[in-house]
C-alpha cells in the first residue's frame, strides 16, 4: 500500500508539473520516440495562463502547489547540475524558499516541548515571525541577562514537516528506481544514491542541533579570519526543534543599492567573499554550501556574516589537495598536471589515456585565458567539465559537485557586486598559498608524520589482522572446495526482496498509466 500511495503521489506531481508548463518548457526538440511523444502531449496539456511565463516562473508556481517537500527537492537538485544540467540547476537555485508563517502558538508548543521549559522562562519576549521557509520559521526575541537584554533570532521547525517530507520521499525513491531501471544512460548519475543523499541531508537539516553544531564549528574555524564570521549559538536555548542565535544587524548582500548607499566597497566585498570561501574549503575542509545572497549580510565595518548553515560540505585532506592542484593547474595552464591529478584521484578510469584527457582539459581551460574578466565564467567551465567527464566515464562525485555548485553560486554573488570580477585572479593568492604550505617542504613533513602515525596504528592492530587473515584463508579454502553458499535465511531474504521490487515497479507503472487515463477522461 505504501508503494501504491507513492505511485499516486508521483503521478499527481507529474500532472502538476505538466499543467504548470514545466515539462513543456524543457528542451525536447532533441528527444525521440516515447519521450518526445510525452513532451508533445505535455505541451498540449499546459495551462493557457502558464504559456506566457518563463521556465523558472513555471517551476516556482509548480513547486508552490506541490508543497515544502518539493521546495527542498528543488533546492537540493540545484546543487546537482551534473544530474539536471546547469540551466535547470540555475532555475532551481532561483526558487524562493518562502512559505506562509504558522501561528505563534504552534512555535511556543514546539519550543517548550523541545527545551522542556516555558517560553517565559527562556525569553524575556518572543516576537512575531520575521521569515518563514519550508522547514522552519524565524522569530525575533529578547533574552534577559543580569545587567542587559540582548536581541536574538529563534528558528523553529514547522509543525508536521518531518512526516510530510518522509511521505513524499517514498515517491522520490520510486521515481529514482524507475529511472535507473528504464533509462539506462542515466545510471551513471546514480539517481537512487542521489535521492539517498537528499534524505540524509534533509534529515540533518531538520535537527536544528546539528545546524547549531555546524555554525559553532565554522565559527571556531574562522574566528581569526578577517572580514568573515557566523552568528554565535545560544546553546541553552537550542534543541532539536529550536535554534537560538545572535541577532545579525547588517545589510543583505542581495541589496546592492543599500550596500552602495552605506558606503561599502563592493569590489572588496566580492574579493573577500571568494577568498573566505576558498579558505574554508582548502584550509578547513568544511564550507557553507548555501551561500546565496539571502544568507549573507554585510555589517557596518564590511564584515560578511553568513547565516542558515543547514547545508554544509566537507572535503578530506586528499580531496583538498586534488582540488587545489586542479584549480592551480587551470590558473597556470598546466593541463597535463590537471589530467594527472584526475587519474591519481581515481576520478577517471585507468584504461583512458592521460594525454588524451589532458587534451580535453585544454579545450576547457584555454577559452578562459586571454578573455576580459567579465566574460570568464565558472559556470561555463563547469558545464564543459561535466561534458568531458561524461565522455571519459567519470563517476559522479557528490562532494565535489556540491563544492562546484557552491563555487558557481559564490561567483554569481561576486559578479552582482562587481560585474568585472575575475574569479581566477582573485582565487590565485589563496590557492597558491595553500599549495605552498601543503605541497611544499612543510606539507611533505606533515605527510611523513601522518604516514608514521598510520604505520604505528597498523602495528598495534597486527595481531588482530593476523587472526582475521587466518580466518579469511580458511573461508576461501572452504569456498574453493564447496563453492559460494548462502544460508537458507539469506537466500530466502534475497528472493523476497527481488520479488517485492519487481511487484512494486509494475504496480507503480500501472498506477501511473491509470492516472493518465483518468486525466484524459476528465479533459475529454
Amino acid at each position: 500500500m505504501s508503494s501504491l500511495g507513492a505511485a499516486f503521489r508521483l503521478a499527481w506531481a507529474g500532472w502538476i508539473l505538466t499543467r504548470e508548463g514545466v515539462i513543456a518548457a524543457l528542451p525536447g526538440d532533441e528527444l525521440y520516440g516515447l519521450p518526445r511523444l510525452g513532451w508533445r502531449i505535455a505541451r498540449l496539456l499546459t495551462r493557457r495562463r502558464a504559456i506566457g511565463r518563463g521556465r523558472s516562473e513555471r517551476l516556482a508556481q509548480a513547486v508552490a502547489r506541490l508543497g515544502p517537500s518539493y521546495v527542498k527537492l528543488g533546492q537540493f537538485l540545484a546543487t546537482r547540475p551534473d544530474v539536471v544540467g546547469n540551466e535547470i540547476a540555475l532555475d532551481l537555485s532561483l526558487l524562493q524558499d518562502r512559505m506562509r508563517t504558522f501561528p505563534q502558538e504552534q512555535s511556543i508548543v514546539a519550543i517548550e516541548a523541545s527545551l522542556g521549559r516555558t517560553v517565559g522562562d527562556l525569553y524575556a519576549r518572543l516576537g512575531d515571525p520575521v521569515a518563514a521557509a519550508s522547514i522552519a520559521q524565524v522569530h525575533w526575541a529578547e533574552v534577559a541577562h543580569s545587567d542587559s537584554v540582548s536581541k536574538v533570532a529563534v528558528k523553529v521547525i514547522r509543525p508536521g514537516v518531518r512526516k510530510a517530507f518522509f511521505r513524499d520521499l517514498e515517491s522520490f525513491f520510486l521515481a529514482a528506481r524507475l529511472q535507473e531501471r528504464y533509462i539506462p544512460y542515466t545510471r551513471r548519475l546514480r539517481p537512487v544514491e542521489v535521492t539517498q543523499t537528499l534524505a540524509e541531508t534533509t534529515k540533518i537539516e531538520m535537527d536544528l542541533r546539528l545546524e547549531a553544531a555546524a555554525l559553532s564549528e565554522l565559527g571556531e574555524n574562522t574566528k581569526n579570519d578577517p572580514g568573515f564570521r557566523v552568528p554565535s549559538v545560544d546553546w541553552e536555548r537550542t534543541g532539536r526543534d529550536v535554534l537560538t542565535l545572535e541577532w545579525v544587524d547588517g545589510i543583505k548582500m542581495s541589496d546592492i543599492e543599500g550596500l552602495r548607499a552605506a558606503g561599502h566597497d563592493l569590489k572588496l566585498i566580492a574579493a573577500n567573499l571568494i577568498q573566505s570561501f576558498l579558505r574554508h574549503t582548502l584550509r578547513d575542509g568544511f564550507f557553507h554550501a548555501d551561500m546565496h545572497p539571502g544568507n549573507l549580510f554585510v555589517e557596518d565595518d564590511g564584515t560578511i556574516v553568513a547565516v542558515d548553515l543547514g547545508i554544509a560540505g566537507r572535503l578530506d585532506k586528499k580531496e583538498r589537495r586534488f582540488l587545489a592542484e586542479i584549480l592551480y593547474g587551470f590558473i597556470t595552464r598546466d593541463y597535463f598536471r590537471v589530467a594527472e591529478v584526475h587519474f591519481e584521484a581515481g576520478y577517471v578510469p585507468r584504461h583512458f589515456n592521460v594525454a588524451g584527457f589532458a587534451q580535453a582539459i585544454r579545450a576547457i581551460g584555454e577559452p578562459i585565458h586571454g578573455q576580459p574578466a567579465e566574460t570568464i565564467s565558472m559556470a561555463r567551465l563547469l558545464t564543459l567539465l561535466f561534458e568531458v567527464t561524461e565522455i571519459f566515464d567519470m563517476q559522479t562525485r557528490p562532494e565535489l559537485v556540491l563544492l562546484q555548485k557552491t563555487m558557481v553560486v559564490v561567483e554569481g554573488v561576486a559578479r552582482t557586486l562587481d560585474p568585472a570580477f575575475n574569479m581566477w585572479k582573485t582565487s590565485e593568492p589563496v590557492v597558491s598559498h595553500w599549495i605552498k604550505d601543503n605541497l611544499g617542504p612543510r606539507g611533505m613533513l606533515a605527510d611523513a608524520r601522518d604516514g608514521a602515525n598510520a604505520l604505528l596504528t597498523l602495528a598495534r592492530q597486527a595481531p588482530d589482522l593476523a587472526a582475521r587473515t587466518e580466518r579469511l584463508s580458511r573461508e576461501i579454502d572452504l569456498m574453493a572446495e564447496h563453492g559460494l553458499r548462502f544460508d537458507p535465511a539469506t537466500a530466502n531474504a534475497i528472493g523476497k526482496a527481488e520479488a517485492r521490487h519487481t511487484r512494486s515497479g509494475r504496480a507503480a507503472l500501472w498506477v501511473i498509466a491509470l492516472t493518465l487515463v483518468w486525466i484524459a477522461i476528465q479533459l475529454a
Side-chain angles (χ1 to χ4, degrees), residues 134-183:
S134 55
I135 285 182
Q137 73 180 19
V138 178
H139 298 255
W140 68 268
E142 293 177 344
V143 174
H145 305 285
S146 57
D147 57 350
S148 64
V149 174
S150 62
K151 191 175 181 180
V152 295
V154 183
K155 186 174 183 179
V156 185
I157 285 288
R158 182 175 290 276
V161 69
R162 292 188 182 90
K163 182 179 179 180
F165 177 79
F166 287 110
R167 180 195 64 211
D168 287 332
L169 192 63
E170 291 183 80
S171 302
F172 300 161
F173 271 112
L174 176 59
R177 289 195 296 268
L178 291 173
Q179 180 181 349
E180 278 201 355
R181 178 171 296 184
Y182 296 108
I183 312 178

Short mmCIF file of all heavy atoms in Angstrom, two decimals, residues 134-183:
data_model
loop_
_atom_site.label_atom_id
_atom_site.label_comp_id
_atom_site.label_asym_id
_atom_site.label_seq_id
_atom_site.Cartn_x
_atom_site.Cartn_y
_atom_site.Cartn_z
N SER A 134 10.37 26.46 4.12
CA SER A 134 9.71 25.16 4.04
C SER A 134 9.90 24.33 5.29
O SER A 134 9.01 23.57 5.67
CB SER A 134 10.22 24.40 2.82
OG SER A 134 11.63 24.29 2.88
N ILE A 135 11.04 24.46 5.95
CA ILE A 135 11.33 23.63 7.11
C ILE A 135 11.10 24.35 8.43
O ILE A 135 10.69 23.75 9.42
CB ILE A 135 12.78 23.10 7.03
CG1 ILE A 135 12.87 21.99 5.98
CG2 ILE A 135 13.27 22.59 8.37
CD1 ILE A 135 14.21 21.37 5.83
N ALA A 136 11.33 25.65 8.47
CA ALA A 136 11.25 26.37 9.74
C ALA A 136 10.87 27.82 9.51
O ALA A 136 10.86 28.30 8.37
CB ALA A 136 12.60 26.29 10.47
N GLN A 137 10.54 28.51 10.59
CA GLN A 137 10.35 29.94 10.52
C GLN A 137 11.17 30.59 11.63
O GLN A 137 11.56 29.93 12.60
CB GLN A 137 8.89 30.34 10.62
CG GLN A 137 8.23 30.22 11.97
CD GLN A 137 6.76 30.65 11.92
OE1 GLN A 137 6.14 30.71 10.88
NE2 GLN A 137 6.19 30.95 13.08
N VAL A 138 11.43 31.89 11.48
CA VAL A 138 12.31 32.61 12.40
C VAL A 138 11.53 33.72 13.10
O VAL A 138 10.81 34.48 12.45
CB VAL A 138 13.53 33.21 11.65
CG1 VAL A 138 14.41 34.01 12.61
CG2 VAL A 138 14.33 32.11 10.98
N HIS A 139 11.68 33.78 14.43
CA HIS A 139 11.12 34.85 15.25
C HIS A 139 12.26 35.72 15.79
O HIS A 139 13.37 35.23 15.98
CB HIS A 139 10.37 34.28 16.46
CG HIS A 139 9.19 33.43 16.11
ND1 HIS A 139 7.89 33.85 16.25
CD2 HIS A 139 9.12 32.14 15.65
CE1 HIS A 139 7.07 32.87 15.89
NE2 HIS A 139 7.79 31.84 15.52
N TRP A 140 11.95 36.97 16.05
CA TRP A 140 12.88 37.76 16.85
C TRP A 140 12.48 37.61 18.31
O TRP A 140 11.31 37.34 18.63
CB TRP A 140 12.87 39.24 16.43
CG TRP A 140 11.60 39.98 16.76
CD1 TRP A 140 10.51 40.14 15.95
CD2 TRP A 140 11.30 40.66 17.98
NE1 TRP A 140 9.54 40.86 16.59
CE2 TRP A 140 9.99 41.20 17.84
CE3 TRP A 140 11.99 40.86 19.17
CZ2 TRP A 140 9.37 41.93 18.85
CZ3 TRP A 140 11.37 41.59 20.18
CH2 TRP A 140 10.09 42.11 20.01
N ALA A 141 13.44 37.70 19.17
CA ALA A 141 13.17 37.55 20.61
C ALA A 141 14.21 38.32 21.40
O ALA A 141 15.21 38.81 20.84
CB ALA A 141 13.17 36.08 21.01
N GLU A 142 13.96 38.45 22.69
CA GLU A 142 14.91 39.10 23.59
C GLU A 142 15.23 38.17 24.75
O GLU A 142 14.35 37.46 25.24
CB GLU A 142 14.32 40.42 24.13
CG GLU A 142 14.15 41.49 23.05
CD GLU A 142 13.51 42.76 23.59
OE1 GLU A 142 12.92 42.70 24.70
OE2 GLU A 142 13.59 43.81 22.92
N VAL A 143 16.49 38.18 25.13
CA VAL A 143 16.96 37.36 26.25
C VAL A 143 17.49 38.29 27.33
O VAL A 143 18.32 39.17 27.05
CB VAL A 143 18.06 36.38 25.81
CG1 VAL A 143 18.64 35.64 27.01
CG2 VAL A 143 17.50 35.38 24.80
N ALA A 144 17.01 38.11 28.56
CA ALA A 144 17.44 38.96 29.68
C ALA A 144 18.67 38.38 30.35
O ALA A 144 18.73 37.18 30.65
CB ALA A 144 16.30 39.09 30.69
N HIS A 145 19.67 39.22 30.54
CA HIS A 145 20.87 38.85 31.28
C HIS A 145 20.87 39.62 32.60
O HIS A 145 19.95 40.40 32.88
CB HIS A 145 22.12 39.19 30.47
CG HIS A 145 22.11 38.56 29.11
ND1 HIS A 145 22.34 37.22 28.89
CD2 HIS A 145 21.86 39.11 27.88
CE1 HIS A 145 22.24 36.97 27.58
NE2 HIS A 145 21.96 38.10 26.96
N SER A 146 21.87 39.41 33.40
CA SER A 146 21.89 40.04 34.71
C SER A 146 21.89 41.56 34.64
O SER A 146 21.30 42.25 35.48
CB SER A 146 23.11 39.57 35.52
OG SER A 146 24.30 39.85 34.79
N ASP A 147 22.54 42.10 33.63
CA ASP A 147 22.65 43.56 33.54
C ASP A 147 22.23 44.12 32.18
O ASP A 147 22.43 45.30 31.91
CB ASP A 147 24.09 43.99 33.84
CG ASP A 147 25.09 43.31 32.91
OD1 ASP A 147 24.68 42.39 32.18
OD2 ASP A 147 26.27 43.71 32.91
N SER A 148 21.67 43.27 31.30
CA SER A 148 21.31 43.77 29.97
C SER A 148 20.29 42.84 29.32
O SER A 148 19.97 41.77 29.85
CB SER A 148 22.55 43.88 29.08
OG SER A 148 23.12 42.59 28.87
N VAL A 149 19.79 43.28 28.16
CA VAL A 149 18.88 42.47 27.35
C VAL A 149 19.46 42.41 25.93
O VAL A 149 19.82 43.45 25.36
CB VAL A 149 17.47 43.09 27.32
CG1 VAL A 149 16.58 42.30 26.35
CG2 VAL A 149 16.85 43.08 28.70
N SER A 150 19.56 41.20 25.37
CA SER A 150 20.10 41.05 24.02
C SER A 150 19.03 40.54 23.08
O SER A 150 18.16 39.76 23.47
CB SER A 150 21.30 40.10 24.02
OG SER A 150 20.91 38.80 24.44
N LYS A 151 19.10 40.97 21.83
CA LYS A 151 18.16 40.52 20.81
C LYS A 151 18.70 39.27 20.14
O LYS A 151 19.90 39.18 19.84
CB LYS A 151 17.95 41.63 19.77
CG LYS A 151 16.81 41.37 18.80
CD LYS A 151 16.59 42.57 17.88
CE LYS A 151 15.42 42.34 16.92
NZ LYS A 151 15.20 43.49 16.02
N VAL A 152 17.84 38.28 19.91
CA VAL A 152 18.25 37.02 19.30
C VAL A 152 17.28 36.63 18.20
O VAL A 152 16.17 37.18 18.10
CB VAL A 152 18.32 35.88 20.35
CG1 VAL A 152 19.40 36.14 21.38
CG2 VAL A 152 16.96 35.68 21.03
N ALA A 153 17.71 35.69 17.36
CA ALA A 153 16.85 35.09 16.34
C ALA A 153 16.52 33.67 16.79
O ALA A 153 17.41 32.92 17.18
CB ALA A 153 17.57 35.07 15.00
N VAL A 154 15.24 33.32 16.73
CA VAL A 154 14.79 31.99 17.17
C VAL A 154 14.20 31.25 15.98
O VAL A 154 13.18 31.67 15.42
CB VAL A 154 13.74 32.11 18.30
CG1 VAL A 154 13.35 30.71 18.79
CG2 VAL A 154 14.29 32.94 19.45
N LYS A 155 14.83 30.18 15.58
CA LYS A 155 14.40 29.37 14.44
C LYS A 155 13.63 28.17 14.97
O LYS A 155 14.14 27.42 15.81
CB LYS A 155 15.62 28.93 13.63
CG LYS A 155 15.30 28.21 12.33
CD LYS A 155 16.60 27.95 11.55
CE LYS A 155 16.33 27.30 10.21
NZ LYS A 155 17.58 27.08 9.45
N VAL A 156 12.39 27.96 14.47
CA VAL A 156 11.52 26.90 14.98
C VAL A 156 11.06 26.01 13.82
O VAL A 156 10.64 26.51 12.77
CB VAL A 156 10.29 27.50 15.69
CG1 VAL A 156 9.45 26.39 16.33
CG2 VAL A 156 10.71 28.53 16.74
N ILE A 157 11.14 24.70 14.02
CA ILE A 157 10.73 23.74 13.00
C ILE A 157 9.23 23.86 12.71
O ILE A 157 8.42 24.01 13.63
CB ILE A 157 11.07 22.30 13.46
CG1 ILE A 157 12.57 22.04 13.34
CG2 ILE A 157 10.30 21.25 12.67
CD1 ILE A 157 13.07 21.90 11.92
N ARG A 158 8.86 23.77 11.45
CA ARG A 158 7.46 23.83 11.03
C ARG A 158 6.73 22.56 11.49
O ARG A 158 7.23 21.44 11.27
CB ARG A 158 7.40 23.95 9.51
CG ARG A 158 5.99 24.07 8.93
CD ARG A 158 6.04 24.30 7.42
NE ARG A 158 6.56 25.63 7.11
CZ ARG A 158 5.81 26.73 7.09
NH1 ARG A 158 4.51 26.65 7.36
NH2 ARG A 158 6.34 27.89 6.79
N PRO A 159 5.57 22.69 12.12
CA PRO A 159 4.84 21.50 12.59
C PRO A 159 4.49 20.55 11.45
O PRO A 159 4.04 20.97 10.38
CB PRO A 159 3.57 22.10 13.21
CG PRO A 159 3.92 23.52 13.54
CD PRO A 159 4.89 23.95 12.48
N GLY A 160 4.74 19.25 11.67
CA GLY A 160 4.37 18.22 10.71
C GLY A 160 5.26 18.10 9.50
O GLY A 160 5.01 17.27 8.62
N VAL A 161 6.35 18.89 9.44
CA VAL A 161 7.17 18.90 8.22
C VAL A 161 7.93 17.58 8.04
O VAL A 161 8.12 17.12 6.91
CB VAL A 161 8.14 20.10 8.22
CG1 VAL A 161 9.23 19.95 9.27
CG2 VAL A 161 8.75 20.30 6.84
N ARG A 162 8.34 16.97 9.14
CA ARG A 162 9.09 15.70 9.01
C ARG A 162 8.21 14.62 8.41
O ARG A 162 8.62 13.89 7.50
CB ARG A 162 9.62 15.26 10.38
CG ARG A 162 10.71 16.14 10.96
CD ARG A 162 11.30 15.52 12.23
NE ARG A 162 12.31 16.39 12.81
CZ ARG A 162 12.04 17.33 13.71
NH1 ARG A 162 10.79 17.52 14.12
NH2 ARG A 162 13.00 18.10 14.20
N LYS A 163 7.00 14.49 8.93
CA LYS A 163 6.08 13.46 8.42
C LYS A 163 5.77 13.68 6.94
O LYS A 163 5.79 12.75 6.13
CB LYS A 163 4.80 13.47 9.24
CG LYS A 163 3.79 12.41 8.83
CD LYS A 163 2.55 12.46 9.71
CE LYS A 163 1.54 11.39 9.28
NZ LYS A 163 0.31 11.43 10.13
N ALA A 164 5.52 14.94 6.58
CA ALA A 164 5.20 15.25 5.17
C ALA A 164 6.38 14.96 4.26
O ALA A 164 6.21 14.39 3.17
CB ALA A 164 4.79 16.72 5.06
N PHE A 165 7.57 15.30 4.70
CA PHE A 165 8.74 15.10 3.83
C PHE A 165 9.00 13.61 3.63
O PHE A 165 9.23 13.16 2.49
CB PHE A 165 9.98 15.77 4.42
CG PHE A 165 11.21 15.53 3.59
CD1 PHE A 165 11.44 16.25 2.43
CD2 PHE A 165 12.12 14.54 3.94
CE1 PHE A 165 12.55 15.99 1.65
CE2 PHE A 165 13.23 14.30 3.18
CZ PHE A 165 13.45 15.03 2.02
N PHE A 166 8.99 12.83 4.70
CA PHE A 166 9.33 11.42 4.54
C PHE A 166 8.23 10.65 3.82
O PHE A 166 8.49 9.60 3.23
CB PHE A 166 9.66 10.81 5.90
CG PHE A 166 10.99 11.28 6.43
CD1 PHE A 166 11.05 12.13 7.51
CD2 PHE A 166 12.16 10.92 5.80
CE1 PHE A 166 12.28 12.60 7.98
CE2 PHE A 166 13.39 11.38 6.26
CZ PHE A 166 13.45 12.22 7.35
N ARG A 167 7.01 11.18 3.83
CA ARG A 167 5.95 10.59 3.00
C ARG A 167 6.25 10.83 1.51
O ARG A 167 6.18 9.92 0.69
CB ARG A 167 4.60 11.20 3.37
CG ARG A 167 3.41 10.66 2.58
CD ARG A 167 2.22 11.57 2.74
NE ARG A 167 2.49 12.90 2.17
CZ ARG A 167 1.96 14.02 2.64
NH1 ARG A 167 1.16 14.03 3.67
NH2 ARG A 167 2.26 15.18 2.05
N ASP A 168 6.62 12.06 1.18
CA ASP A 168 6.92 12.38 -0.22
C ASP A 168 8.24 11.73 -0.66
O ASP A 168 8.44 11.49 -1.85
CB ASP A 168 7.01 13.90 -0.41
CG ASP A 168 5.65 14.57 -0.35
OD1 ASP A 168 4.65 13.90 -0.69
OD2 ASP A 168 5.58 15.75 0.03
N LEU A 169 9.11 11.46 0.30
CA LEU A 169 10.39 10.84 -0.04
C LEU A 169 10.20 9.47 -0.68
O LEU A 169 10.98 9.05 -1.53
CB LEU A 169 11.26 10.72 1.22
CG LEU A 169 12.73 10.35 1.02
CD1 LEU A 169 13.44 11.42 0.21
CD2 LEU A 169 13.42 10.18 2.38
N GLU A 170 9.13 8.76 -0.29
CA GLU A 170 8.83 7.47 -0.92
C GLU A 170 8.64 7.65 -2.43
O GLU A 170 9.09 6.82 -3.23
CB GLU A 170 7.57 6.87 -0.31
CG GLU A 170 7.70 6.41 1.12
CD GLU A 170 6.41 5.77 1.61
OE1 GLU A 170 6.17 4.59 1.28
OE2 GLU A 170 5.62 6.46 2.29
N SER A 171 7.95 8.73 -2.81
CA SER A 171 7.73 8.99 -4.23
C SER A 171 9.04 9.30 -4.94
O SER A 171 9.27 8.87 -6.08
CB SER A 171 6.77 10.17 -4.41
OG SER A 171 5.54 9.93 -3.78
N PHE A 172 9.92 10.05 -4.27
CA PHE A 172 11.21 10.38 -4.87
C PHE A 172 12.03 9.10 -5.12
O PHE A 172 12.66 8.95 -6.18
CB PHE A 172 12.00 11.32 -3.97
CG PHE A 172 11.31 12.63 -3.67
CD1 PHE A 172 11.70 13.41 -2.58
CD2 PHE A 172 10.27 13.09 -4.45
CE1 PHE A 172 11.07 14.61 -2.29
CE2 PHE A 172 9.62 14.29 -4.17
CZ PHE A 172 10.03 15.05 -3.09
N PHE A 173 12.02 8.19 -4.15
CA PHE A 173 12.76 6.93 -4.32
C PHE A 173 12.15 6.09 -5.43
O PHE A 173 12.87 5.45 -6.21
CB PHE A 173 12.78 6.14 -3.01
CG PHE A 173 13.93 6.48 -2.11
CD1 PHE A 173 13.73 7.13 -0.91
CD2 PHE A 173 15.24 6.15 -2.46
CE1 PHE A 173 14.79 7.44 -0.07
CE2 PHE A 173 16.31 6.46 -1.64
CZ PHE A 173 16.09 7.12 -0.44
N LEU A 174 10.83 6.08 -5.52
CA LEU A 174 10.17 5.32 -6.58
C LEU A 174 10.58 5.87 -7.95
O LEU A 174 10.91 5.10 -8.87
CB LEU A 174 8.65 5.39 -6.41
CG LEU A 174 7.82 4.73 -7.51
CD1 LEU A 174 8.16 3.25 -7.64
CD2 LEU A 174 6.32 4.91 -7.23
N ALA A 175 10.57 7.19 -8.10
CA ALA A 175 10.98 7.80 -9.37
C ALA A 175 12.43 7.47 -9.70
O ALA A 175 12.77 7.17 -10.86
CB ALA A 175 10.79 9.32 -9.29
N ALA A 176 13.30 7.48 -8.68
CA ALA A 176 14.72 7.17 -8.90
C ALA A 176 14.91 5.73 -9.33
O ALA A 176 15.70 5.43 -10.25
CB ALA A 176 15.51 7.46 -7.63
N ARG A 177 14.18 4.80 -8.71
CA ARG A 177 14.31 3.39 -9.09
C ARG A 177 13.80 3.15 -10.50
O ARG A 177 14.40 2.39 -11.28
CB ARG A 177 13.54 2.51 -8.09
CG ARG A 177 14.20 2.42 -6.72
CD ARG A 177 13.61 1.27 -5.92
NE ARG A 177 12.20 1.47 -5.62
CZ ARG A 177 11.73 2.06 -4.53
NH1 ARG A 177 12.58 2.54 -3.63
NH2 ARG A 177 10.44 2.20 -4.33
N LEU A 178 12.66 3.78 -10.85
CA LEU A 178 12.14 3.64 -12.21
C LEU A 178 13.11 4.21 -13.24
O LEU A 178 13.30 3.66 -14.33
CB LEU A 178 10.78 4.33 -12.32
CG LEU A 178 9.63 3.68 -11.54
CD1 LEU A 178 8.39 4.56 -11.60
CD2 LEU A 178 9.32 2.29 -12.09
N GLN A 179 13.74 5.34 -12.89
CA GLN A 179 14.71 5.96 -13.80
C GLN A 179 15.90 5.04 -14.02
O GLN A 179 16.35 4.85 -15.16
CB GLN A 179 15.17 7.30 -13.21
CG GLN A 179 16.18 8.03 -14.10
CD GLN A 179 16.65 9.34 -13.48
OE1 GLN A 179 16.09 9.80 -12.50
NE2 GLN A 179 17.70 9.91 -14.05
N GLU A 180 16.44 4.44 -12.94
CA GLU A 180 17.58 3.54 -13.08
C GLU A 180 17.23 2.31 -13.92
O GLU A 180 18.05 1.82 -14.69
CB GLU A 180 18.08 3.11 -11.70
CG GLU A 180 18.99 4.12 -11.03
CD GLU A 180 19.84 3.47 -9.95
OE1 GLU A 180 19.65 2.27 -9.65
OE2 GLU A 180 20.72 4.18 -9.40
N ARG A 181 15.99 1.83 -13.75
CA ARG A 181 15.61 0.60 -14.45
C ARG A 181 15.33 0.83 -15.93
O ARG A 181 15.72 0.02 -16.77
CB ARG A 181 14.39 -0.01 -13.76
CG ARG A 181 13.89 -1.28 -14.45
CD ARG A 181 12.83 -1.97 -13.63
NE ARG A 181 13.33 -2.46 -12.35
CZ ARG A 181 12.61 -3.16 -11.48
NH1 ARG A 181 11.36 -3.46 -11.75
NH2 ARG A 181 13.14 -3.57 -10.36
N TYR A 182 14.66 1.95 -16.26
CA TYR A 182 14.16 2.12 -17.62
C TYR A 182 14.91 3.17 -18.45
O TYR A 182 14.64 3.31 -19.64
CB TYR A 182 12.67 2.46 -17.58
CG TYR A 182 11.83 1.36 -17.00
CD1 TYR A 182 11.27 1.49 -15.73
CD2 TYR A 182 11.64 0.15 -17.68
CE1 TYR A 182 10.51 0.46 -15.17
CE2 TYR A 182 10.90 -0.88 -17.13
CZ TYR A 182 10.34 -0.73 -15.88
OH TYR A 182 9.60 -1.75 -15.34
N ILE A 183 15.82 3.92 -17.84
CA ILE A 183 16.62 4.91 -18.59
C ILE A 183 18.10 4.60 -18.34
O ILE A 183 18.74 5.22 -17.48
CB ILE A 183 16.27 6.36 -18.18
CG1 ILE A 183 14.75 6.56 -18.16
CG2 ILE A 183 16.91 7.35 -19.14
CD1 ILE A 183 14.32 7.94 -17.73
#
